[in-house]
Amino acid sequence: MRQIFDIHGGIHPPERKELSDPGFVMDCPPPSKLVLPVTQHIGAPARPIVEVGDTVLGGQMIAEAQGPVSVPVHSPSSGTVTAIASRAVPHASGMTDTCIEITLDGRCEWITCEGVADWRAESKAVLLDRVRLAGVAGLGGAGFPTAIKLASDRAIGIHTLVINGTECEPYITADDTVMQCFAREVVEGAEILAHMVGAETILLAVEDNKHEAAEAMKDASAHLASAEVVTFPTKYPSGGEKQLIELLLNVQVPSGGIPADIGVLCQNPGTAMAVRAALIDGKPLTDRITTLTGMALGKPGNRRVMLGTPIGELLALGDFNSETSDRVIHGGPMMGFAVTDLDMPVVKITNCVLAPTRSEIPPPQPQQACIRCGLCAEVCPASLLPQQLYWFARAKDQEQLERHNLMDCIECGACAYVCPSHIPLVQYYRSAKGSMREASKEKLRSDNSRVRFEARQERLERETAARDAKRAARKAAAEARLEAGDDPVQAAIERAKAKKAQQEGEQ
Amino acid sequence: MLESLSAQPILLALIALVGMALLFGALLGFAAVRFEVEGNPLSDQINGILPQTQCGQCGYPGCRPYAEAIAEGDSINKCPPGGEDTIHALADLLDVEPEPLDSEHGTEAEPTVAYIREAECIGCTKCIQACPVDAILGAAKLMHTVIVDECTGCDLCVEPCPVDCIDMIPRKGGIQHWFWPLPNESRTGNIIATDRESEQVAA
Amino acid sequence: MSLLHVSSPHIHKPFSSVEQVMKQVLLATIPGVLVMTWFFGPGTLLNIIFGSALALGFEAWALWLRGKDFKSPLKDHSVIVTATLLCIALPPYAPWWLIAVGVGVSVLLGKHVFGGLGYNPFNPAMVAYVLLLISFPVEMTRWLPVVDLSNIDITFATALQIIFTEQSPYQIAVDSLSGATPLDIMKTQIGLAQTPELIQQNSAFGLLAGQGWQWVNIWFAIGGLFLLYRKVINWHIPFAMLFALTFISLITWLISPETTASPLFHLLSGGTMIGAFFIATDPVSAATSRQGKLLYGAGIGVLVILIRNLGGYPDAVAFAVLLMNLCVPLLDIVSVPRPVGQTTARADERKSAP
């Protein structure tokens, strides 16, 4: 039995997992249209490589990665590209972004997929390339390009791969379902990942409220000596990457660093499955298991959804009763964002669509004054002082925010959950972080402008100096000629006289 | 001698205090000479905080002259492009009270960039000569265009243009740069999405 | 349909609000107040009712003066807690105007002048108590001896008469009704060179500490344990205060048992228990972090013993709390926890990043 450690703080919100009946996947009928944003990941947007009117097949790449930190987008099924334009995208801002809209033709034709014959025999570079071309991004909710994460080249090599099946947020059961229904694929994916990064140990982390998933994973990994299923007490937010590593290995990821700095790599079970599909089946990422849950739905559950399905259509599949609800959440109730337009599509990071009734998740209560109770600091998993961060965020005091490690905040929401005064703490921190990033961008820009300005001043001075030097040189040359008896004026007068004499002579 | 001195406490106190004053004065003088820093780093620090727009709205020909003036004691609230954030940063650095922006020198506006309407450009290079950061690409009788990433929005190029073909347009935000605003602390915040006016601009 | 656009998290801990916290604190004071009524008559209860009503009035007025919406802040019961704690600390038969001044000062000067709930650096009830103690020393000594000991029977009506008209129905004047508290007796008699052992044979003293007062303290402690169980307060401040108090008084008692009282006496007399569980734990004026709370509580404990032994007033909880309130910003600075992933707690102690 592996020893488990603990994280600081944490909360125990009601889990409400049974509402979505984990362990059972329903399929979805093809939607009326697919809206595929070019940015479904962290990094540079993908660049569309199809045009309006093109026919595309399932699995065909429709947008290619731009630069190293980018991920391509593939069409989930066959159809025609009807638009490449701005559409509502699933983002906390509710803003629009470039999307490729496809109308399906219903024939579900796919490109021929070809996986690698033996992944153990291929080089890491080839495997990474395949993963990149398959469009795999972190399916746990962050959407970091998987190929970049796997390629990370730090001084310490990766020694432990953690498959993060924690799923600590209430309501969400997508990872639970993936682990129960596709345990073999997840374990195989984990094997491939461990091979790619050179990890000797594979830890399959599952919270203790998912017994069936843990059992399924144990059975599927029984043959793998390097793999171990680890269960630990349910607490939010144990599933955060840094928290999970602290829990399992009793080491803390250095502030501002990544787990690879201490030789650990975390991946979501769905991502492991997608990597396996990319390498063994040659299949790009075109769909995912999403939890559809909430009391406003008549038919909640986990569904295999095509990327690009509008959320409104997905909710309709679940028998959404819009009268009883005024909030649709993309993601979980602790870290998910409110959907503002039901045309927003399901994307790679959509692990859950939550449609609660008004009584299930009531509208937020008005904010009151902070009574300095300190409950927020007690639950913070990063051991920060949320109360102080709140005061400094209000005062816009960037120096103090940095000194109190605002950037270490993982925005888990535990502090706002317990605050008796109902202060939306996480919004303060997000706003403060945005202001700080903006300020540092502005600083870079103004430093750059100063350099250009000084360069320009220097150039003008040089030009003026050069002009002056030339003028001085010409003047000196003229004076020298004069000295030498070479008076140009006199020479001109002589020439004129000579000419006049010549003209008189000719007459 | 000490005994006679200790019999006169006032004299002793006087000697002690004067002696200490001389000692500390000597120490300070030595430190002032030995540890003196070349140049005026304060004006460098101030220049580092100013936004480097080189627009001249503060009344000085550029940001460095204003920085040097502030180091000499000028007020810190003359820079509109820097806005309130710059005033606060300067107040922190100089340990003075932040004042509101002096409206004589302009008001804080959203960041803008210059845009040349290329159809009307006659290639006279007057704007190129005016730009303090060389953000306009072009040559005589050839098309001029603004390099958006380098433009500081100082709008010094607008006046010299003889055909008035330069517009100042807002610097675009976009989904990549959006972040949450601070919460509205009054009881009625506009949290109904469909009631909000959409002010956001697409990338 | 209108969709809400709010930031995560979307769920909140159930039954967690300022009102809930305050209600539970009031609930926890009930046993202590009932015991006080049993031993000293209904004066305290009447004062609490009167004081709370006045406090609500003052709060509404202050909010109106400040141009704020006053219906919802009144619902959070915080002024009622302030008024209750103040009235428990005041003598049961103090005149009504003393209560009124006290409540007014605590709400207006102790709280709203600084910005209202959450902004006051000092505990409002203690600010008022100290102000009253220094301004009206005679009225502040109108403590009664335990009902059993005096041969006067105080009913509700009598109590009302004493508080509001300052006239007693009995032949004797109101001032003669009052007797010294055990802490009072201890202090003055030690000053007259009597030893605590002898002093405690006085009829005002019971088995453990002052008669009646020992039970009041015990029942307030039980109320405090209820608050700990309900996680309304943390154990850090009460534990640190009581531990420090016991430790210091033990040392002084061992060194000089003739001139200092025993730790048990100090624990169960005066405002010790109510100070530990109700007054020092006021979240707004206390330190924030765990280490800060421990230091804060310990500081109060030490100061209580110091002032009781060496200071001019018999009871010291109010002064100790106010003095430590002054130190809270410093405690907050020095007791910053080490964030996960950092090497040290204080940012200025870290080496700069490579």
Side-chain angles (χ1 to χ4, degrees), chain A residues 89 91 93 95-96 340 394 427-428 430-431 434-435 438 441 443 445-446 448-450 452-453 456 459, chain B residues 47-48 51-52 54 129 131-134 150 152 175 177-183 185 193 200-202:
Chain A
V89 290
H91 188 263
S93 63
M95 290 166 84
T96 58
T340 50
R394 278 179 90 190
Q427 191 174 342
Y428 280 97
R430 287 182 171 146
S431 178
S435 302
E438 175 118 338
K441 264 191 263 178
K443 184 85 182 38
R445 198 181 285 139
S446 71
N448 182 45
S449 298
R450 189 184 62 242
R452 282 184 82 88
F453 174 66
R456 179 173 182 266
R459 171 175 66 85
Chain B
N47 199 22
Q52 302 303 314
Q54 320 292 351
Q129 292 165 43
C131 177
V133 292
D134 284 341
E150 305 293 354
T152 62
I175 201 170
H177 304 284
W178 179 90
F179 56 88
W180 281 94
L182 280 178
E185 287 173 19
Q200 293 121 358
V201 181

Short mmCIF file of all heavy atoms in Angstrom, two decimals, chain A residues 89 91 93 95-96 340 394 427-428 430-431 434-435 438 441 443 445-446 448-450 452-453 456 459, chain B residues 47-48 51-52 54 129 131-134 150 152 175 177-183 185 193 200-202:
data_model
loop_
_atom_site.label_atom_id
_atom_site.label_comp_id
_atom_site.label_asym_id
_atom_site.label_seq_id
_atom_site.Cartn_x
_atom_site.Cartn_y
_atom_site.Cartn_z
N VAL A 89 -17.90 31.33 -28.89
CA VAL A 89 -17.07 30.20 -28.49
C VAL A 89 -17.17 30.01 -26.99
O VAL A 89 -17.45 30.97 -26.27
CB VAL A 89 -15.58 30.40 -28.90
CG1 VAL A 89 -15.43 30.31 -30.38
CG2 VAL A 89 -15.04 31.69 -28.35
N HIS A 91 -16.05 30.38 -23.83
CA HIS A 91 -15.01 31.13 -23.13
C HIS A 91 -15.70 31.97 -22.08
O HIS A 91 -16.82 32.42 -22.29
CB HIS A 91 -14.27 32.02 -24.14
CG HIS A 91 -13.06 32.68 -23.57
ND1 HIS A 91 -13.07 33.96 -23.08
CD2 HIS A 91 -11.80 32.23 -23.41
CE1 HIS A 91 -11.88 34.28 -22.64
NE2 HIS A 91 -11.07 33.25 -22.84
N SER A 93 -15.50 34.89 -21.30
CA SER A 93 -15.87 36.24 -21.71
C SER A 93 -17.17 36.28 -22.48
O SER A 93 -17.81 37.32 -22.57
CB SER A 93 -14.78 36.83 -22.59
OG SER A 93 -14.69 36.05 -23.78
N MET A 95 -17.16 36.03 -25.61
CA MET A 95 -16.84 36.69 -26.88
C MET A 95 -16.84 35.70 -28.03
O MET A 95 -17.00 34.49 -27.84
CB MET A 95 -15.45 37.34 -26.77
CG MET A 95 -15.45 38.54 -25.86
SD MET A 95 -13.81 39.07 -25.41
CE MET A 95 -13.41 40.09 -26.78
N THR A 96 -16.64 36.22 -29.23
CA THR A 96 -16.63 35.36 -30.42
C THR A 96 -15.20 35.17 -30.90
O THR A 96 -14.29 35.91 -30.53
CB THR A 96 -17.44 36.00 -31.55
OG1 THR A 96 -16.88 37.29 -31.83
CG2 THR A 96 -18.90 36.17 -31.16
N THR A 340 -23.05 31.77 -22.04
CA THR A 340 -23.95 32.89 -22.26
C THR A 340 -24.75 32.74 -23.55
O THR A 340 -25.69 33.47 -23.78
CB THR A 340 -23.16 34.20 -22.32
OG1 THR A 340 -22.08 34.02 -23.24
CG2 THR A 340 -22.62 34.55 -20.96
N ARG A 394 -8.45 44.75 -4.45
CA ARG A 394 -9.32 45.92 -4.43
C ARG A 394 -8.52 47.20 -4.53
O ARG A 394 -8.91 48.15 -5.19
CB ARG A 394 -10.13 45.96 -3.13
CG ARG A 394 -11.35 45.09 -3.15
CD ARG A 394 -12.05 45.19 -1.85
NE ARG A 394 -13.01 46.27 -1.86
CZ ARG A 394 -13.64 46.71 -0.79
NH1 ARG A 394 -13.38 46.19 0.37
NH2 ARG A 394 -14.51 47.67 -0.89
N GLN A 427 -13.14 36.03 -8.60
CA GLN A 427 -13.24 37.06 -9.62
C GLN A 427 -12.23 38.18 -9.35
O GLN A 427 -11.61 38.70 -10.27
CB GLN A 427 -14.65 37.64 -9.67
CG GLN A 427 -14.88 38.52 -10.88
CD GLN A 427 -16.30 38.97 -11.02
OE1 GLN A 427 -17.21 38.39 -10.44
NE2 GLN A 427 -16.50 40.00 -11.81
N TYR A 428 -12.06 38.52 -8.07
CA TYR A 428 -11.05 39.53 -7.74
C TYR A 428 -9.67 39.08 -8.20
O TYR A 428 -8.90 39.84 -8.76
CB TYR A 428 -11.01 39.78 -6.22
CG TYR A 428 -12.09 40.70 -5.73
CD1 TYR A 428 -13.27 40.19 -5.18
CD2 TYR A 428 -11.94 42.08 -5.80
CE1 TYR A 428 -14.26 41.04 -4.73
CE2 TYR A 428 -12.93 42.93 -5.34
CZ TYR A 428 -14.09 42.40 -4.81
OH TYR A 428 -15.07 43.24 -4.37
N ARG A 430 -8.86 36.82 -10.50
CA ARG A 430 -8.74 36.75 -11.95
C ARG A 430 -8.55 38.15 -12.52
O ARG A 430 -7.72 38.35 -13.42
CB ARG A 430 -9.98 36.11 -12.55
CG ARG A 430 -10.05 34.63 -12.31
CD ARG A 430 -11.25 34.00 -12.94
NE ARG A 430 -11.14 32.56 -12.86
CZ ARG A 430 -12.16 31.74 -12.71
NH1 ARG A 430 -13.37 32.22 -12.62
NH2 ARG A 430 -11.97 30.45 -12.64
N SER A 431 -9.31 39.09 -12.00
CA SER A 431 -9.18 40.46 -12.48
C SER A 431 -7.78 40.99 -12.18
O SER A 431 -7.13 41.59 -13.04
CB SER A 431 -10.24 41.32 -11.79
OG SER A 431 -10.13 42.64 -12.18
N GLY A 434 -5.26 39.44 -14.48
CA GLY A 434 -5.35 40.02 -15.81
C GLY A 434 -4.69 41.39 -15.85
O GLY A 434 -3.94 41.69 -16.77
N SER A 435 -4.96 42.21 -14.83
CA SER A 435 -4.34 43.53 -14.79
C SER A 435 -2.83 43.44 -14.72
O SER A 435 -2.11 44.20 -15.36
CB SER A 435 -4.83 44.32 -13.57
OG SER A 435 -6.20 44.45 -13.59
N GLU A 438 -1.48 42.39 -18.09
CA GLU A 438 -1.59 43.51 -18.99
C GLU A 438 -0.51 44.53 -18.69
O GLU A 438 0.15 45.07 -19.58
CB GLU A 438 -2.97 44.16 -18.78
CG GLU A 438 -3.20 45.39 -19.55
CD GLU A 438 -4.33 45.22 -20.52
OE1 GLU A 438 -4.63 44.08 -20.87
OE2 GLU A 438 -4.89 46.23 -20.92
N LYS A 441 2.76 43.38 -19.95
CA LYS A 441 2.82 43.51 -21.42
C LYS A 441 3.08 44.96 -21.79
O LYS A 441 3.87 45.27 -22.68
CB LYS A 441 1.50 43.06 -22.04
CG LYS A 441 1.52 41.62 -22.52
CD LYS A 441 0.33 41.30 -23.37
CE LYS A 441 -0.72 40.64 -22.52
NZ LYS A 441 -1.95 40.33 -23.22
N LYS A 443 4.54 47.14 -20.02
CA LYS A 443 5.92 47.48 -19.65
C LYS A 443 6.87 47.06 -20.76
O LYS A 443 7.75 47.80 -21.15
CB LYS A 443 6.26 46.77 -18.33
CG LYS A 443 7.61 47.09 -17.75
CD LYS A 443 7.52 48.35 -16.91
CE LYS A 443 8.83 48.81 -16.32
NZ LYS A 443 9.99 48.66 -17.15
N ARG A 445 6.13 46.65 -23.85
CA ARG A 445 5.89 47.52 -25.01
C ARG A 445 6.55 48.87 -24.81
O ARG A 445 7.21 49.40 -25.71
CB ARG A 445 4.39 47.70 -25.22
CG ARG A 445 4.05 48.20 -26.60
CD ARG A 445 2.57 48.39 -26.77
NE ARG A 445 1.87 47.13 -26.94
CZ ARG A 445 0.71 46.85 -26.38
NH1 ARG A 445 0.10 47.73 -25.63
NH2 ARG A 445 0.13 45.69 -26.58
N SER A 446 6.42 49.42 -23.61
CA SER A 446 7.00 50.74 -23.41
C SER A 446 8.53 50.67 -23.38
O SER A 446 9.20 51.57 -23.87
CB SER A 446 6.46 51.41 -22.15
OG SER A 446 6.94 50.78 -21.00
N ASN A 448 10.26 48.61 -25.16
CA ASN A 448 10.59 48.50 -26.58
C ASN A 448 10.51 49.86 -27.26
O ASN A 448 11.39 50.23 -28.04
CB ASN A 448 9.60 47.51 -27.22
CG ASN A 448 9.90 47.29 -28.67
OD1 ASN A 448 11.05 47.10 -29.05
ND2 ASN A 448 8.89 47.34 -29.51
N SER A 449 9.46 50.60 -26.94
CA SER A 449 9.31 51.93 -27.54
C SER A 449 10.46 52.83 -27.13
O SER A 449 10.97 53.60 -27.95
CB SER A 449 8.00 52.59 -27.09
OG SER A 449 6.91 51.83 -27.52
N ARG A 450 10.89 52.72 -25.89
CA ARG A 450 11.99 53.57 -25.44
C ARG A 450 13.25 53.24 -26.21
O ARG A 450 13.99 54.12 -26.65
CB ARG A 450 12.22 53.40 -23.93
CG ARG A 450 13.21 54.42 -23.41
CD ARG A 450 13.54 54.22 -21.95
NE ARG A 450 14.18 52.95 -21.72
CZ ARG A 450 13.66 52.00 -20.96
NH1 ARG A 450 12.53 52.20 -20.32
NH2 ARG A 450 14.28 50.86 -20.81
N ARG A 452 13.48 51.96 -29.21
CA ARG A 452 13.34 52.47 -30.58
C ARG A 452 13.53 53.97 -30.61
O ARG A 452 14.15 54.50 -31.52
CB ARG A 452 11.96 52.12 -31.12
CG ARG A 452 11.81 50.69 -31.57
CD ARG A 452 10.45 50.46 -32.18
NE ARG A 452 10.40 50.89 -33.57
CZ ARG A 452 10.72 50.13 -34.60
NH1 ARG A 452 11.15 48.91 -34.40
NH2 ARG A 452 10.63 50.59 -35.83
N PHE A 453 12.97 54.65 -29.62
CA PHE A 453 13.09 56.10 -29.58
C PHE A 453 14.54 56.51 -29.43
O PHE A 453 15.04 57.39 -30.14
CB PHE A 453 12.25 56.64 -28.42
CG PHE A 453 12.39 58.11 -28.19
CD1 PHE A 453 11.93 59.01 -29.13
CD2 PHE A 453 12.97 58.60 -27.03
CE1 PHE A 453 12.05 60.37 -28.93
CE2 PHE A 453 13.08 59.96 -26.82
CZ PHE A 453 12.63 60.84 -27.78
N ARG A 456 16.36 55.96 -32.59
CA ARG A 456 16.05 56.99 -33.56
C ARG A 456 16.82 58.26 -33.26
O ARG A 456 17.39 58.89 -34.16
CB ARG A 456 14.55 57.27 -33.55
CG ARG A 456 14.14 58.36 -34.53
CD ARG A 456 12.63 58.48 -34.60
NE ARG A 456 12.26 59.47 -35.57
CZ ARG A 456 12.02 60.74 -35.28
NH1 ARG A 456 12.14 61.16 -34.04
NH2 ARG A 456 11.68 61.58 -36.24
N ARG A 459 20.23 57.78 -34.39
CA ARG A 459 20.33 57.83 -35.86
C ARG A 459 20.29 59.26 -36.34
O ARG A 459 21.09 59.68 -37.18
CB ARG A 459 19.17 57.02 -36.46
CG ARG A 459 19.04 57.16 -37.98
CD ARG A 459 17.96 56.23 -38.51
NE ARG A 459 16.62 56.59 -38.06
CZ ARG A 459 15.84 57.49 -38.64
NH1 ARG A 459 16.27 58.14 -39.71
NH2 ARG A 459 14.65 57.75 -38.16
N ASN B 47 11.85 57.23 -15.80
CA ASN B 47 11.69 57.02 -17.23
C ASN B 47 11.19 55.60 -17.51
O ASN B 47 10.43 55.36 -18.43
CB ASN B 47 13.01 57.28 -17.96
CG ASN B 47 12.81 57.52 -19.44
OD1 ASN B 47 11.72 57.89 -19.87
ND2 ASN B 47 13.85 57.31 -20.22
N GLY B 48 11.64 54.67 -16.68
CA GLY B 48 11.20 53.28 -16.84
C GLY B 48 9.72 53.09 -16.58
O GLY B 48 9.10 52.18 -17.09
N PRO B 51 5.22 55.70 -19.98
CA PRO B 51 4.84 54.78 -21.06
C PRO B 51 5.61 54.91 -22.36
O PRO B 51 5.37 54.15 -23.27
CB PRO B 51 3.35 55.11 -21.28
CG PRO B 51 3.21 56.50 -20.83
CD PRO B 51 4.15 56.70 -19.70
N GLN B 52 6.54 55.87 -22.46
CA GLN B 52 7.38 55.98 -23.66
C GLN B 52 6.59 56.25 -24.93
O GLN B 52 6.96 55.81 -26.02
CB GLN B 52 8.23 54.70 -23.86
CG GLN B 52 9.10 54.38 -22.69
CD GLN B 52 10.03 55.53 -22.36
OE1 GLN B 52 10.66 56.11 -23.23
NE2 GLN B 52 10.11 55.89 -21.08
N GLN B 54 6.24 59.23 -26.07
CA GLN B 54 6.96 60.37 -26.63
C GLN B 54 5.98 61.34 -27.30
O GLN B 54 6.28 61.94 -28.33
CB GLN B 54 8.00 59.91 -27.69
CG GLN B 54 8.76 58.66 -27.34
CD GLN B 54 9.72 58.84 -26.18
OE1 GLN B 54 9.94 59.95 -25.72
NE2 GLN B 54 10.26 57.75 -25.68
N GLN B 129 9.03 61.25 -40.70
CA GLN B 129 9.95 62.11 -39.96
C GLN B 129 9.39 62.46 -38.60
O GLN B 129 10.15 62.71 -37.65
CB GLN B 129 10.22 63.38 -40.76
CG GLN B 129 11.01 63.12 -42.02
CD GLN B 129 10.93 64.32 -42.95
OE1 GLN B 129 11.03 65.46 -42.51
NE2 GLN B 129 10.73 64.06 -44.23
N CYS B 131 7.40 60.51 -36.63
CA CYS B 131 7.19 59.40 -35.69
C CYS B 131 8.39 59.24 -34.77
O CYS B 131 9.51 59.00 -35.24
CB CYS B 131 6.96 58.11 -36.46
SG CYS B 131 6.78 56.70 -35.33
N PRO B 132 8.21 59.34 -33.46
CA PRO B 132 9.35 59.27 -32.54
C PRO B 132 9.94 57.88 -32.37
O PRO B 132 11.03 57.74 -31.82
CB PRO B 132 8.78 59.77 -31.21
CG PRO B 132 7.33 59.51 -31.30
CD PRO B 132 6.95 59.58 -32.73
N VAL B 133 9.22 56.83 -32.77
CA VAL B 133 9.77 55.49 -32.61
C VAL B 133 9.94 54.77 -33.95
O VAL B 133 10.09 53.55 -34.00
CB VAL B 133 8.87 54.63 -31.68
CG1 VAL B 133 8.93 55.14 -30.26
CG2 VAL B 133 7.45 54.60 -32.17
N ASP B 134 9.94 55.53 -35.05
CA ASP B 134 10.16 54.93 -36.38
C ASP B 134 9.21 53.78 -36.63
O ASP B 134 9.61 52.70 -37.08
CB ASP B 134 11.60 54.40 -36.52
CG ASP B 134 12.58 55.52 -36.75
OD1 ASP B 134 12.13 56.62 -37.16
OD2 ASP B 134 13.78 55.31 -36.52
N GLU B 150 4.59 48.44 -33.21
CA GLU B 150 5.55 49.41 -32.70
C GLU B 150 4.89 50.75 -32.41
O GLU B 150 5.47 51.60 -31.73
CB GLU B 150 6.68 49.63 -33.72
CG GLU B 150 7.39 48.36 -34.16
CD GLU B 150 8.19 47.71 -33.04
OE1 GLU B 150 8.29 48.31 -31.94
OE2 GLU B 150 8.70 46.62 -33.25
N THR B 152 2.94 53.64 -30.72
CA THR B 152 2.57 53.91 -29.34
C THR B 152 1.30 54.73 -29.23
O THR B 152 0.83 54.99 -28.14
CB THR B 152 3.69 54.70 -28.62
OG1 THR B 152 3.85 55.95 -29.29
CG2 THR B 152 4.98 53.93 -28.62
N ILE B 175 -10.25 38.15 -27.75
CA ILE B 175 -10.54 37.13 -26.75
C ILE B 175 -9.28 36.71 -26.00
O ILE B 175 -9.32 36.32 -24.84
CB ILE B 175 -11.25 35.94 -27.44
CG1 ILE B 175 -12.01 35.11 -26.43
CG2 ILE B 175 -10.28 35.11 -28.23
CD1 ILE B 175 -12.92 34.09 -27.08
N HIS B 177 -6.97 38.62 -24.94
CA HIS B 177 -6.56 39.62 -23.96
C HIS B 177 -7.62 39.92 -22.94
O HIS B 177 -7.43 40.74 -22.04
CB HIS B 177 -6.21 40.94 -24.68
CG HIS B 177 -5.18 40.75 -25.74
ND1 HIS B 177 -3.85 40.58 -25.45
CD2 HIS B 177 -5.28 40.70 -27.07
CE1 HIS B 177 -3.19 40.43 -26.59
NE2 HIS B 177 -4.02 40.50 -27.57
N TRP B 178 -8.79 39.28 -23.05
CA TRP B 178 -9.89 39.58 -22.11
C TRP B 178 -9.56 39.08 -20.72
O TRP B 178 -8.92 38.04 -20.55
CB TRP B 178 -11.16 38.90 -22.64
CG TRP B 178 -12.34 39.11 -21.76
CD1 TRP B 178 -13.26 40.12 -21.82
CD2 TRP B 178 -12.78 38.27 -20.69
NE1 TRP B 178 -14.21 39.96 -20.86
CE2 TRP B 178 -13.94 38.82 -20.15
CE3 TRP B 178 -12.27 37.09 -20.14
CZ2 TRP B 178 -14.62 38.27 -19.08
CZ3 TRP B 178 -12.95 36.52 -19.06
CH2 TRP B 178 -14.11 37.12 -18.55
N PHE B 179 -9.99 39.82 -19.70
CA PHE B 179 -9.95 39.25 -18.36
C PHE B 179 -11.13 39.81 -17.57
O PHE B 179 -11.73 40.82 -17.93
CB PHE B 179 -8.61 39.52 -17.65
CG PHE B 179 -8.23 40.97 -17.55
CD1 PHE B 179 -8.64 41.75 -16.48
CD2 PHE B 179 -7.42 41.56 -18.51
CE1 PHE B 179 -8.28 43.08 -16.38
CE2 PHE B 179 -7.05 42.88 -18.41
CZ PHE B 179 -7.47 43.65 -17.35
N TRP B 180 -11.45 39.12 -16.47
CA TRP B 180 -12.60 39.49 -15.66
C TRP B 180 -12.41 40.90 -15.09
O TRP B 180 -11.35 41.24 -14.59
CB TRP B 180 -12.76 38.54 -14.48
CG TRP B 180 -13.39 37.24 -14.84
CD1 TRP B 180 -12.77 36.09 -15.17
CD2 TRP B 180 -14.79 36.96 -14.89
NE1 TRP B 180 -13.68 35.11 -15.43
CE2 TRP B 180 -14.94 35.61 -15.26
CE3 TRP B 180 -15.93 37.72 -14.65
CZ2 TRP B 180 -16.17 35.01 -15.41
CZ3 TRP B 180 -17.17 37.11 -14.79
CH2 TRP B 180 -17.28 35.78 -15.17
N PRO B 181 -13.47 41.73 -15.13
CA PRO B 181 -13.39 43.02 -14.42
C PRO B 181 -13.57 42.77 -12.93
O PRO B 181 -14.06 41.72 -12.52
CB PRO B 181 -14.57 43.80 -14.99
CG PRO B 181 -15.54 42.76 -15.42
CD PRO B 181 -14.77 41.54 -15.79
N LEU B 182 -13.20 43.76 -12.09
CA LEU B 182 -13.44 43.63 -10.66
C LEU B 182 -14.94 43.53 -10.42
O LEU B 182 -15.72 44.15 -11.13
CB LEU B 182 -12.88 44.84 -9.91
CG LEU B 182 -11.38 44.83 -9.65
CD1 LEU B 182 -11.00 46.11 -8.94
CD2 LEU B 182 -10.96 43.65 -8.82
N PRO B 183 -15.34 42.75 -9.39
CA PRO B 183 -16.78 42.60 -9.17
C PRO B 183 -17.43 43.93 -8.84
O PRO B 183 -16.82 44.81 -8.24
CB PRO B 183 -16.86 41.67 -7.95
CG PRO B 183 -15.55 41.04 -7.84
CD PRO B 183 -14.56 41.96 -8.45
N GLU B 185 -19.54 45.98 -6.63
CA GLU B 185 -19.84 45.74 -5.22
C GLU B 185 -21.21 46.23 -4.78
O GLU B 185 -21.59 46.03 -3.66
CB GLU B 185 -18.75 46.36 -4.35
CG GLU B 185 -17.48 45.53 -4.45
CD GLU B 185 -16.32 46.17 -3.76
OE1 GLU B 185 -16.55 47.04 -2.91
OE2 GLU B 185 -15.19 45.81 -4.08
N ALA B 193 -26.74 37.85 -18.69
CA ALA B 193 -25.91 37.95 -19.90
C ALA B 193 -26.65 38.61 -21.04
O ALA B 193 -26.10 39.44 -21.76
CB ALA B 193 -25.45 36.56 -20.31
N GLN B 200 -17.78 43.81 -26.39
CA GLN B 200 -16.54 43.13 -26.73
C GLN B 200 -16.35 43.06 -28.22
O GLN B 200 -17.28 42.83 -28.98
CB GLN B 200 -16.54 41.73 -26.13
CG GLN B 200 -16.49 41.78 -24.62
CD GLN B 200 -17.68 41.09 -24.00
OE1 GLN B 200 -18.54 40.62 -24.73
NE2 GLN B 200 -17.72 41.03 -22.70
N VAL B 201 -15.11 43.24 -28.65
CA VAL B 201 -14.78 43.24 -30.07
C VAL B 201 -14.10 41.93 -30.40
O VAL B 201 -13.31 41.44 -29.62
CB VAL B 201 -13.82 44.42 -30.38
CG1 VAL B 201 -13.50 44.47 -31.85
CG2 VAL B 201 -14.47 45.71 -29.94
N ALA B 202 -14.40 41.37 -31.53
CA ALA B 202 -13.80 40.09 -31.90
C ALA B 202 -12.33 40.28 -32.22
O ALA B 202 -11.89 41.37 -32.60
CB ALA B 202 -14.53 39.51 -33.11
#
